[in-house]
Amino acid sequence: MDLTFNKNEDHNKLKLSELRKILAEVKLGGGKKRIEKLHAQGKMTARERIEYLLDNNSASIEIGAFAGEGMYAEHGGCPSGGVVVKIGYVKGKQCVVVANDATVKAGAWFPITGKKNLRAQEIAMENRLPIIYLVDSAGVYLPMQDEIFPDKEHFGRIFRNNAIMSSMGITQIAAVMGSCVAGGAYLPIMSDEALIVDKTGSIFLAGSYLVKAAIGESIDNETLGGATTHSEISGVTDYKAKDDKDALDRIKNIVDKIGDFEKAGYNRAEAKSPIDNPEDIYGLLPSSRSDQYDMLEIIKRLVDNSEFEQYKEGYGKTILTGYARIDGWAVGIVANQRKVVKTKQGEMQFGGVIYSDSADKATRFIANCNQKKIPLVFLQDVTGFMVGSKSEHGGIIKDGAKMVNAVSNSVVPKFTIVIGNSYGAGNYAMCGKAYDPRLIVAWPSAELAVMSGNSAAKVLLQIEKASLEKNGEPLDPEKETALFDKIKQRYDHQISPYYAAARLWTDAIIDPLDTRKWISMGIEAANHAPIEKKFNLGVLQV
């Protein structure tokens, strides 16, 4: 291997090491002392509960592990959004599992907690997957109640979704394994079946202190809303478990009896590993987001047998389109080519930029995949659409709109991998979060923003400079450089994949070698939900 490959490999493996380090800290939730306190109460942590529930040695993927990362510092932080969400297998059946982390503010709901719970429910609804709630929460985090309580996508939407999923026939099972108070008490009871753990689980609209203040009644929490009360007197819960493991074992038994599902029918053959070594990705992917590389070499290390059947190979070369298999599943791949290419007319086109011909090609390919019922995989490393008079006169806006239209109206499941740049309208055309990918993940090398940090800093510097000069405060070269660096540093922080993952703009930051697993499990999940709509582009300027 050449020196550039080795430098890239060192850089990308260092990024991966950083990812693993941050993830290890996140998995501690509220910290070791709070974990020890839970254990002293005879309770398992959220992650221990999920690990015990899921089948041994089975694959799983975690949604939103970095939710809340770097946010709410003034409130002590909220690791993983105070809730753990995984897609995994219970008795061989793929399920979504949602577990409140009681080590983080007693499992209280921050704004990001609500957003993450809604994302978990969205995944369950889109894919018609059973969803299991492991409830241990003090309810809404009161200091931020105005950001979690009243709006459409806030706390109340959770219960609305409970009702919608029930009407859709999606199995919902809830185990109350700790506190379940106030409005949060509706979640387990709006599920199909509810369990409660004796002595540690409790459900009530108002705790004993509030009851005393409101109506003057003196009563302890266990008598008010403990396991015996709700299993033998009120009938609110369906099963009483003696401890956490007993509750989780009962959930396994319930899931084990669920009948089979109607399949969407996506094509799957015997899975085969890539022939080209996937670990080469670390050396192929440049350390600088502005450097060129051949995306085709990345694709060969992601697909079965390293086989990629290109569609319109000689046309619209800044986007690669074609058919392949990933872990046996047939997929259509739309990927940004990151090297400079030459057209038949001898013109040079920049890598990572979407031109009119590439947008036209991608639109046609997306339509073909919808026609053939083939899931779509988008590999993003895009700086945006081509600008300038030639592109504008050639109708780049119209061609870009056609591609966005096709992505928006696609009815086959879509999966988005942000490999490198994800800038501007390129993010939209390549199926960014706003375009409903079933799953969207980023590699540690990803950057998501309107434009690169360098470009944005130049634009913002000019605005700032003009403002200062207008006020009679011209900048000397030294101050101008210092201001540029300050602006770029702030902007670079915002384009980090961790900034995006903290806000759930992506579902995860992953090791590139886990990409095949994410796509495979995603298509398996999507196979639970037959397509009910027809592909229709509506009004389209041709």
Side-chain angles (χ1 to χ4, degrees):
M1 295 296 178
D2 61 21
L3 185 60
T4 301
F5 184 99
N6 292 335
K7 285 182 176 179
N8 290 341
E9 186 176 44
D10 289 345
H11 174 84
N12 288 312
K13 286 191 173 180
L14 195 62
K15 287 265 189 186
L16 185 59
S17 177
E18 179 188 13
L19 170 66
R20 289 170 176 160
K21 180 182 177 182
I22 297 172
L23 190 56
E25 292 173 359
V26 162
K27 286 183 176 180
L28 289 174
K32 292 181 179 179
K33 287 186 177 179
R34 288 179 182 169
I35 291 173
E36 289 169 3
K37 185 178 178 181
L38 267 192
H39 288 164
Q41 295 170 351
K43 296 165 69 174
M44 303 164 76
T45 67
R47 293 185 180 277
E48 288 168 346
R49 287 166 176 167
I50 293 177
E51 184 180 4
Y52 184 85
L53 179 64
L54 297 181
D55 296 344
N56 291 333
N57 302 316
S58 64
S60 66
I61 53 179
E62 182 170 353
I63 304 295
F66 294 104
E69 181 68 14
M71 300 166 67
Y72 314 120
E74 67 276 23
H75 297 279
C78 188
S80 261
V83 62
V84 182
V85 176
K86 285 195 177 185
I87 301 174
Y89 300 89
V90 179
K91 293 292 185 178
K93 291 182 174 62
Q94 202 174 40
C95 300
V96 178
V97 186
V98 182
N100 298 113
D101 187 348
T103 69
V104 180
K105 290 287 192 297
W109 287 55
F110 283 69
I112 197 66
T113 316
K115 188 173 183 179
K116 186 170 173 178
N117 273 271
L118 288 170
R119 176 61 179 143
Q121 290 184 320
E122 179 183 38
I123 290 170
M125 286 190 283
E126 282 182 331
N127 300 291
R128 306 212 169 188
L129 290 178
I131 184 166
I132 299 164
Y133 307 100
L134 307 180
V135 184
D136 194 346
S137 172
V140 167
Y141 182 61
L142 291 178
M144 302 188 75
Q145 65 84 27
D146 61 321
E147 296 182 45
I148 181 64
F149 172 65
D151 208 350
K152 180 178 179 180
E153 299 297 331
H154 283 179
F155 193 61
R157 189 78 170 182
I158 304 291
F159 316 129
R160 174 264 187 193
N161 286 350
N162 288 142
I164 296 297
M165 280 192 279
S166 184
S167 72
M168 293 171 67
I170 297 170
T171 299
Q172 298 176 84
I173 302 167
V176 180
M177 310 180 83
S179 297
C180 184
V181 300
Y186 288 106
L187 184 146
I189 312 312
M190 293 190 74
S191 299
D192 302 327
E193 294 185 87
L195 305 84
I196 187 167
V197 178
D198 195 20
K199 306 305 179 191
T200 57
S202 58
I203 311 172
F204 33 65
L205 295 180
S208 56
Y209 291 122
L210 186 54
V211 168
K212 176 69 173 177
I215 64 172
E217 180 184 3
S218 295
I219 189 170
D220 64 90
N221 282 338
E222 184 65 24
T223 306
L224 180 65
T228 299
T229 296
H230 286 310
S231 297
E232 300 176 18
I233 300 173
S234 72
V236 164
T237 53
D238 306 307
Y239 308 91
K240 181 168 75 169
K242 63 182 181 182
D243 55 27
D244 281 8
K245 288 187 176 180
D246 184 35
L248 297 168
D249 285 335
R250 286 170 182 254
I251 292 173
K252 293 180 186 182
N253 291 335
I254 294 169
V255 173
D256 192 40
K257 312 299 188 298
I258 296 174
D260 204 356
F261 56 91
E262 182 184 353
K263 296 174 178 62
Y266 302 118
N267 185 296
R268 192 177 197 185
E270 181 185 352
K272 295 180 179 177
S273 299
I275 292 174
D276 294 337
N277 187 1
E279 292 200 9
D280 289 348
I281 289 172
Y282 301 128
L284 293 168
L285 195 65
S287 56
S288 170
R289 292 278 50 79
S290 60
D291 287 353
Q292 304 284 304
Y293 66 96
D294 189 353
M295 180 64 83
L296 186 59
E297 294 302 317
I298 300 291
I299 292 173
K300 286 179 180 178
R301 287 155 178 83
L302 294 176
V303 300
D304 290 15
N305 261 346
S306 298
E307 293 175 349
F308 180 56
E309 185 71 28
Q310 284 205 59
Y311 170 83
K312 288 185 179 288
E313 182 177 354
Y315 176 71
K317 292 182 178 180
T318 64
I319 286 185
L320 298 171
T321 52
Y323 303 104
R325 290 189 182 276
I326 292 178
D327 198 33
W329 294 104
V331 296
I333 294 175
V334 181
N336 302 111
Q337 176 56 288
R338 282 291 294 151
K339 67 176 185 178
V340 173
V341 298
K342 184 184 287 188
T343 68
K344 292 291 183 183
Q345 293 75 32
E347 296 177 343
M348 304 304 291
Q349 294 184 340
F350 297 106
V353 178
I354 302 175
Y355 290 78
S356 284
D357 54 356
S358 15
D360 174 67
K361 168 172 135 178
T363 301
R364 290 170 180 268
F365 181 71
I366 290 165
N368 277 342
C369 287
N370 276 271
Q371 181 87 348
K372 298 182 179 73
K373 203 161 74 170
I374 300 173
L376 284 159
V377 174
F378 293 83
L379 303 179
Q380 284 193 9
D381 195 343
V382 58
T383 53
F385 286 88
M386 190 58 190
V387 297
S389 61
K390 185 174 180 181
S391 292
E392 297 293 359
H393 296 170
I396 185 67
I397 295 175
K398 180 178 68 175
D399 291 317
K402 285 192 290 186
M403 184 176 174
V404 170
N405 191 319
V407 172
S408 303
N409 285 298
S410 181
V411 296
V412 295
K414 299 167 290 193
F415 302 89
T416 301
I417 315 297
V418 186
I419 289 176
N421 303 326
S422 181
Y423 298 155
N427 170 282
Y428 302 158
M430 291 295 294
C431 197
K433 183 65 182 288
Y435 292 81
D436 297 323
R438 295 294 176 97
L439 294 171
I440 176 170
V441 298
W443 289 1
S445 48
E447 293 184 356
L448 292 85
V450 171
M451 60 184 75
S452 71
N454 198 56
S455 298
K458 287 178 181 177
V459 172
L460 293 170
L461 176 65
Q462 291 306 311
I463 295 170
E464 186 74 16
K465 188 177 176 183
S467 176
L468 290 169
E469 288 175 350
K470 187 178 179 180
N471 294 326
E473 303 173 32
L475 285 175
D476 59 45
E478 188 176 326
K479 287 183 178 178
E480 186 174 326
T481 300
L483 183 57
F484 174 84
D485 291 341
K486 181 181 178 182
I487 294 171
K488 186 177 183 299
Q489 186 177 17
R490 184 178 71 236
Y491 201 86
D492 283 346
H493 169 67
Q494 293 181 355
I495 67 177
S496 156
Y498 295 97
Y499 191 90
R503 289 152 183 81
L504 290 173
W505 300 344
T506 61
D507 291 316
I509 306 171
I510 66 168
D511 181 342
L513 301 189
D514 286 334
T515 303
R516 283 169 55 85
K517 178 177 76 169
W518 273 80
I519 294 171
S520 177
M521 286 189 67
I523 298 175
E524 182 183 348
N527 206 32
H528 288 73
I531 297 171
E532 296 176 345
K533 295 191 298 183
K534 288 186 177 181
F535 178 63
N536 185 347
L537 289 177
V539 177
L540 188 65
Q541 293 188 17
V542 295

